[in-house]
Structures are given as C-alpha cells and as structure tokens.
Amino acid sequence: MNTTPSYLGLGGNLGHPMALFDEVVDHFRAHPLVNAVKESSRFESVPVDASGPNYVNSVLEIQWLGSAEQLLQSCMALESKLGRVRTTRNAPRPIDVDVLLVGHQTVNTSQLTVPHPRMHLRRFVLEPLLQLNPDVLIPGLGPAKHYLPATLDQIVTVI
C-alpha cells in the first residue's frame, strides 16, 4: 500500500503542551498506519482570534497509509486521550491535532475540510510546515511559501 505525505498541525496553550507534543509524536511513530514521522521546530505564538496564554505550535509530517477520515479519527481520539475537551471555538486547550494536508487531496465533509481552511493565513502553521517541506503545495491555492509574507506581522518564535 502506498503512503501519502500528510501534515498535522499541533497546538496547545494549557498545562504542559511540550510533553503532550512528545506523546503525539510517540503515538504516530507507533501507529500501524504510519511509516515515518518528522516534526518541525516548536514555536511559541500569541493566540489568533482567541484568548489565553501563548500557544506552542509545530507541524508533523507523516507518511500515512489510511484515508483522510481515518487520520481525522486518529487525531480526535488522541486529543481526547490527552485531555482535550471541546468547548467553544478557539478556546484555550492542552492539545490540538489538526489535519492540515493529506497529499494532494481535497476533502469537504461535515467532519473534515482538507486542506485546512485557515492554514495559509497562519504563520504558526506556515513557518513549521515550510521548514519540513519548502516546496509543499496547498491544493487549490498553490505553493505554501507564497502565503508566508502576508503573515509576517504575526509573532512566532522558535522555542
């Protein structure tokens, strides 16, 4: 079975996000539908359209063997296991594992939108994504690197 290069956005601003990120990486390294895992540097960013403490963010590149829907289910189950309780949109949270890209697929269901609809507007997604793959394409939008300049007013720092 062929793998699909897929990208996951990690974020968290409650508790110990760095430790939870380690658990996410370990989870996907051991996952039967994953062949390889790479993580970008970790960044600190101020909340966008939200309140609360600063976020820790990174991006994972995984070689995924399943469907986009299976990847979403795996991410949501992992979030729950690690203490994520969904309340209001953009509420502070210990962990967020977002499906950003699944190869060149586009998915638009009630549960999942791929590519992630706001990824090209967020420096805390673009910078770590481009660190992993400077030539990555966002289906329907083109090269991700073309969107970074418009986000440079958003403060992110490597931690």
Side-chain angles (χ1 to χ4, degrees), residues 85-134:
V85 176
R86 293 182 183 274
T87 56
T88 59
R89 186 168 189 252
N90 294 337
R93 65 204 64 153
I95 190 70
D96 193 18
V97 184
D98 285 337
V99 178
L100 302 174
L101 296 169
V102 181
H104 299 291
Q105 296 177 40
T106 56
V107 179
N108 197 350
T109 68
S110 60
Q111 294 291 311
L112 179 62
T113 303
V114 175
H116 189 285
R118 293 174 303 284
M119 66 179 287
H120 65 289
L121 304 173
R122 307 283 199 242
R123 185 174 176 190
F124 64 80
V125 171
L126 290 172
E127 208 145 306
L129 175 68
L130 291 167
Q131 189 180 74
L132 291 169
N133 182 348

Side-chain angles (χ1 to χ4, degrees), residues 4 6 8 33 62 64-76 98-103 105-109 111-115:
T4 303
S6 302
L8 305 175
L33 293 177
I62 65 172
W64 182 247
L65 289 160
S67 70
E69 290 76 13
Q70 287 172 304
L71 183 54
L72 174 66
Q73 292 308 316
S74 182
C75 292
M76 291 182 75
D98 285 337
V99 178
L100 302 174
L101 296 169
V102 181
Q105 296 177 40
T106 56
V107 179
N108 197 350
T109 68
Q111 294 291 311
L112 179 62
T113 303
V114 175

